[in-house]
Amino acid sequence: MWVTHTVGFAGPGERYVVAAMYEQGASGTLDKGAHAVSDAVATYFGAPVPAKITTP
């Protein structure tokens, strides 16, 4: 099982602190989890999806 989580700033002027978590099965990947979390936050704040991300 993979759990991807992130904490960061979002919204106009980055005035909101956001924490998000995504759980996926054993066949999941870091890239898939990162996209799921980023796209969910982008959707909430009205940003374009798929969200642009950088993974380590």
Side-chain angles (χ1 to χ4, degrees):
M1 170 177 36
W2 281 86
V3 177
T4 304
H5 56 85
T6 189
V7 178
F9 300 98
E14 297 184 334
R15 66 182 282 189
Y16 299 99
V17 177
V18 176
M21 184 183 305
Y22 177 73
E23 181 181 324
Q24 55 185 333
S27 63
T29 65
L30 174 61
D31 191 56
K32 182 179 176 181
H35 279 283
V37 168
S38 297
D39 289 349
V41 173
T43 298
Y44 184 81
F45 285 97
V49 174
K52 183 178 177 183
I53 66 165
T54 302
T55 54

